[in-house]
Coordinates of all heavy atoms in Angstrom, one line a residue:
I1048 N 0.8 65.0 -204.5 CA 1.4 64.1 -203.4 C 0.3 63.9 -202.4 O -0.2 64.9 -201.8 CB 2.6 64.7 -202.8 CG1 3.7 64.9 -203.8 CG2 3.1 63.7 -201.7 CD1 5.0 65.6 -203.3
G1050 N -1.7 61.2 -199.3 CA -1.5 60.2 -198.3 C -2.1 60.6 -197.0 O -2.6 61.7 -196.9
P1051 N -2.1 59.7 -196.0 CA -2.7 60.1 -194.7 C -2.0 61.1 -194.0 O -0.8 61.5 -194.3 CB -2.7 58.7 -194.0 CG -1.5 58.0 -194.6 CD -1.5 58.4 -196.0
P1052 N -2.5 61.7 -192.9 CA -1.9 62.7 -192.1 C -0.5 62.2 -191.6 O -0.4 61.0 -191.2 CB -2.8 63.0 -191.0 CG -4.2 62.6 -191.5 CD -3.9 61.4 -192.4
A1053 N 0.5 63.1 -191.6 CA 1.8 62.9 -191.1 C 2.6 61.8 -191.8 O 3.6 61.3 -191.2 CB 1.7 62.5 -189.6
V1054 N 2.3 61.6 -193.1 CA 3.1 60.6 -193.8 C 4.3 61.3 -194.5 O 5.3 60.6 -194.9 CB 2.2 59.9 -194.9 CG1 1.9 60.8 -196.1 CG2 2.8 58.6 -195.3
G1055 N 4.4 62.6 -194.5 CA 5.6 63.3 -195.1 C 5.3 64.1 -196.3 O 6.3 64.4 -197.0
K1056 N 4.1 64.4 -196.7 CA 3.8 65.1 -197.9 C 4.5 66.4 -198.0 O 5.1 66.7 -199.0 CB 2.3 65.2 -198.0 CG 1.5 63.9 -198.1 CD 0.0 64.1 -198.1 CE -0.6 64.7 -196.9 NZ -0.5 63.9 -195.7
L1057 N 4.3 67.2 -197.0 CA 5.0 68.6 -197.0 C 6.5 68.5 -197.1 O 7.1 69.2 -197.9 CB 4.5 69.4 -195.8 CG 5.2 70.8 -195.7 CD1 5.0 71.7 -196.9 CD2 4.7 71.4 -194.4
T1058 N 7.0 67.6 -196.3 CA 8.5 67.5 -196.2 C 9.1 67.0 -197.5 O 10.1 67.6 -198.0 CB 8.9 66.5 -195.1 OG1 8.3 66.9 -193.8 CG2 10.4 66.4 -194.9
V1059 N 8.4 66.0 -198.1 CA 8.9 65.5 -199.4 C 8.7 66.6 -200.5 O 9.5 66.8 -201.3 CB 8.2 64.2 -199.8 CG1 8.5 63.8 -201.2 CG2 8.6 63.1 -198.8
G1060 N 7.5 67.3 -200.4 CA 7.3 68.4 -201.4 C 8.3 69.5 -201.3 O 8.8 70.0 -202.4
K1061 N 8.7 69.8 -200.1 CA 9.8 70.8 -200.0 C 11.1 70.4 -200.6 O 11.8 71.1 -201.2 CB 10.0 71.2 -198.5 CG 8.9 72.1 -197.9 CD 9.3 72.3 -196.4 CE 8.3 73.2 -195.7 NZ 8.6 73.5 -194.3
L1071 N 5.8 74.5 -204.7 CA 5.0 73.7 -203.7 C 3.8 74.5 -203.3 O 3.9 75.7 -202.8 CB 5.8 73.4 -202.5 CG 5.1 72.7 -201.4 CD1 4.6 71.3 -201.8 CD2 6.1 72.5 -200.2
H1073 N 1.2 73.6 -200.7 CA 0.8 72.6 -199.8 C -0.6 73.0 -199.2 O -0.9 74.2 -199.0 CB 1.9 72.3 -198.7 CG 1.8 73.0 -197.4 ND1 1.1 72.4 -196.4 CD2 2.3 74.2 -197.0 CE1 1.2 73.2 -195.3 NE2 1.9 74.3 -195.7
N1074 N -1.4 72.0 -199.1 CA -2.9 72.2 -198.8 C -3.1 73.1 -197.6 O -4.0 73.8 -197.5 CB -3.5 70.8 -198.7 CG -5.0 70.9 -198.9 OD1 -5.5 71.8 -199.5 ND2 -5.7 70.0 -198.3
H1075 N -2.3 72.9 -196.6 CA -2.5 73.7 -195.3 C -2.2 75.2 -195.5 O -2.6 76.0 -194.7 CB -1.7 73.1 -194.2 CG -2.3 71.9 -193.5 ND1 -3.2 72.0 -192.5 CD2 -2.2 70.6 -193.8 CE1 -3.6 70.8 -192.2 NE2 -3.0 69.9 -193.0
A1076 N -1.5 75.5 -196.6 CA -1.3 76.9 -196.8 C -2.6 77.7 -196.9 O -2.7 78.9 -196.6 CB -0.4 77.1 -198.1
I1077 N -3.6 77.0 -197.5 CA -4.9 77.6 -197.6 C -5.8 77.2 -196.4 O -6.4 78.1 -195.8 CB -5.6 77.1 -198.9 CG1 -4.8 77.6 -200.1 CG2 -7.0 77.6 -199.0 CD1 -4.6 79.1 -200.3
M1078 N -5.8 76.0 -196.1 CA -6.8 75.5 -195.2 C -6.6 76.1 -193.8 O -7.6 76.3 -193.1 CB -6.7 73.9 -195.1 CG -7.3 73.3 -196.4 SD -7.2 71.5 -196.3 CE -8.3 71.2 -194.9
D1079 N -5.4 76.2 -193.3 CA -5.2 76.7 -191.9 C -5.9 78.1 -191.7 O -6.5 78.4 -190.7 CB -3.7 76.8 -191.6 CG -3.2 75.4 -191.2 OD1 -4.0 74.5 -191.0 OD2 -2.0 75.2 -191.2
D1080 N -5.7 79.0 -192.7 CA -6.3 80.3 -192.5 C -7.8 80.3 -192.6 O -8.5 81.0 -191.9 CB -5.7 81.3 -193.6 CG -4.3 81.7 -193.3 OD1 -3.8 81.6 -192.1 OD2 -3.6 82.2 -194.2
M1082 N -9.7 77.7 -191.9 CA -10.2 77.1 -190.7 C -10.2 78.0 -189.5 O -11.0 78.0 -188.7 CB -9.4 75.8 -190.4 CG -9.7 74.7 -191.4 SD -8.6 73.3 -191.0 CE -9.0 72.1 -192.2
T1117 N -0.2 69.1 -202.3 CA -0.3 68.0 -201.2 C -1.7 67.9 -200.8 O -2.4 68.9 -200.7 CB 0.6 68.3 -200.0 OG1 0.2 69.5 -199.4 CG2 2.1 68.5 -200.5
Y1118 N -2.1 66.6 -200.5 CA -3.6 66.4 -200.2 C -3.7 65.2 -199.4 O -3.1 64.1 -199.6 CB -4.2 66.2 -201.6 CG -5.7 66.2 -201.6 CD1 -6.4 67.4 -201.3 CD2 -6.5 65.1 -201.9 CE1 -7.8 67.4 -201.4 CE2 -7.9 65.1 -201.9 CZ -8.5 66.3 -201.7 OH -9.9 66.3 -201.7
V1119 N -4.6 65.3 -198.3 CA -5.0 64.1 -197.6 C -6.3 63.7 -198.3 O -7.3 64.4 -198.2 CB -5.3 64.4 -196.1 CG1 -5.9 63.3 -195.4 CG2 -4.0 64.8 -195.4
L1150 N 2.1 58.6 -200.7 CA 3.1 58.3 -199.7 C 2.4 57.4 -198.6 O 1.2 57.8 -198.2 CB 3.6 59.5 -199.1 CG 4.3 60.5 -200.1 CD1 4.9 61.7 -199.3 CD2 5.3 59.8 -200.9
R1160 N 5.8 61.2 -186.1 CA 6.0 62.4 -186.9 C 5.0 63.5 -186.5 O 5.3 64.7 -186.5 CB 5.8 62.1 -188.4 CG 6.9 61.2 -188.9 CD 6.7 60.8 -190.3 NE 7.7 60.0 -190.9 CZ 7.6 59.3 -192.0 NH1 6.6 59.4 -192.7 NH2 8.6 58.6 -192.4
A1161 N 3.8 63.1 -186.2 CA 2.7 64.1 -185.9 C 3.1 64.9 -184.6 O 2.6 66.0 -184.4 CB 1.4 63.5 -185.7
S1163 N 6.0 66.1 -184.0 CA 7.1 67.0 -184.3 C 6.7 68.5 -184.1 O 5.6 68.9 -184.6 CB 7.5 66.8 -185.8 OG 8.2 67.9 -186.3
P1164 N 7.5 69.3 -183.4 CA 7.2 70.7 -183.2 C 7.1 71.5 -184.6 O 6.3 72.4 -184.7 CB 8.4 71.2 -182.4 CG 8.9 70.0 -181.7 CD 8.7 68.9 -182.7
E1165 N 7.9 71.0 -185.5 CA 7.9 71.7 -186.9 C 6.5 71.5 -187.5 O 6.0 72.5 -188.2 CB 9.0 71.1 -187.8 CG 9.0 71.8 -189.1 CD 10.0 71.1 -190.1 OE1 10.8 70.4 -189.7 OE2 9.8 71.4 -191.3
R1166 N 5.9 70.4 -187.3 CA 4.6 70.1 -187.9 C 3.6 71.1 -187.4 O 2.8 71.6 -188.1 CB 4.2 68.7 -187.7 CG 2.8 68.3 -188.2 CD 2.6 66.8 -188.0 NE 1.2 66.5 -188.2 CZ 0.6 66.3 -189.4 NH1 1.4 66.3 -190.5 NH2 -0.6 66.0 -189.5
Q1167 N 3.7 71.3 -186.1 CA 2.7 72.2 -185.5 C 2.9 73.7 -185.9 O 1.9 74.5 -186.0 CB 2.8 72.1 -183.9 CG 2.5 70.7 -183.4 CD 1.3 70.0 -184.0 OE1 0.2 70.7 -184.2 NE2 1.4 68.8 -184.5
V1168 N 4.1 74.1 -186.2 CA 4.4 75.4 -186.7 C 3.9 75.6 -188.1 O 3.3 76.6 -188.4 CB 5.9 75.7 -186.6 CG1 6.3 77.0 -187.4 CG2 6.4 75.8 -185.2
N1169 N 4.1 74.6 -189.0 CA 3.8 74.7 -190.4 C 2.3 74.4 -190.7 O 1.8 74.7 -191.7 CB 4.6 73.7 -191.2 CG 6.0 74.2 -191.4 OD1 6.3 75.4 -191.6 ND2 7.0 73.4 -191.2
K1170 N 1.6 73.7 -189.7 CA 0.3 73.2 -190.0 C -0.6 73.4 -188.7 O -0.7 72.4 -187.9 CB 0.3 71.8 -190.4 CG 1.0 71.5 -191.7 CD 1.0 70.0 -191.9 CE 1.8 69.7 -193.2 NZ 1.8 68.2 -193.5
A1171 N -1.1 74.5 -188.5 CA -1.8 74.8 -187.2 C -3.0 73.9 -187.0 O -3.3 73.6 -185.9 CB -2.3 76.3 -187.2
H1172 N -3.7 73.5 -188.0 CA -4.9 72.7 -187.9 C -4.6 71.2 -188.3 O -5.6 70.5 -188.5 CB -6.0 73.3 -188.7 CG -6.5 74.5 -188.1 ND1 -6.0 75.8 -188.4 CD2 -7.5 74.8 -187.2 CE1 -6.6 76.7 -187.7 NE2 -7.5 76.1 -187.0
A1173 N -3.4 70.8 -188.4 CA -3.1 69.4 -188.7 C -3.4 68.5 -187.6 O -3.4 68.9 -186.4 CB -1.6 69.3 -189.1
A1174 N -3.6 67.2 -187.9 CA -3.9 66.2 -186.9 C -2.7 66.1 -185.9 O -1.6 66.0 -186.4 CB -4.2 64.9 -187.6
K1175 N -3.1 66.1 -184.7 CA -2.0 65.9 -183.6 C -1.8 64.4 -183.5 O -2.5 63.6 -184.0 CB -2.6 66.4 -182.3 CG -3.1 67.8 -182.3 CD -2.0 68.9 -182.6 CE -2.6 70.3 -182.5 NZ -3.0 70.9 -183.7
E1178 N -4.5 62.1 -182.5 CA -5.6 62.0 -183.4 C -5.4 61.1 -184.6 O -6.4 60.7 -185.2 CB -6.0 63.4 -184.0 CG -6.4 64.4 -182.9 CD -6.5 65.8 -183.5 OE1 -5.5 66.4 -183.9 OE2 -7.6 66.4 -183.5

Side-chain angles (χ1 to χ4, degrees):
I1048 300 177
V1054 76
K1056 298 176 296 293
L1057 174 58
T1058 305
V1059 172
K1061 283 180 178 180
L1071 176 63
H1073 99 92
N1074 200 26
H1075 279 274
I1077 298 301
M1078 291 182 59
D1079 283 345
D1080 286 341
M1082 287 176 185
T1117 64
Y1118 193 69
V1119 172
L1150 304 184
R1160 290 177 181 166
S1163 159
E1165 179 185 346
R1166 179 177 169 82
Q1167 301 313 314
V1168 168
N1169 287 315
K1170 301 176 181 183
H1172 290 87
K1175 311 290 187 266
E1178 296 171 298

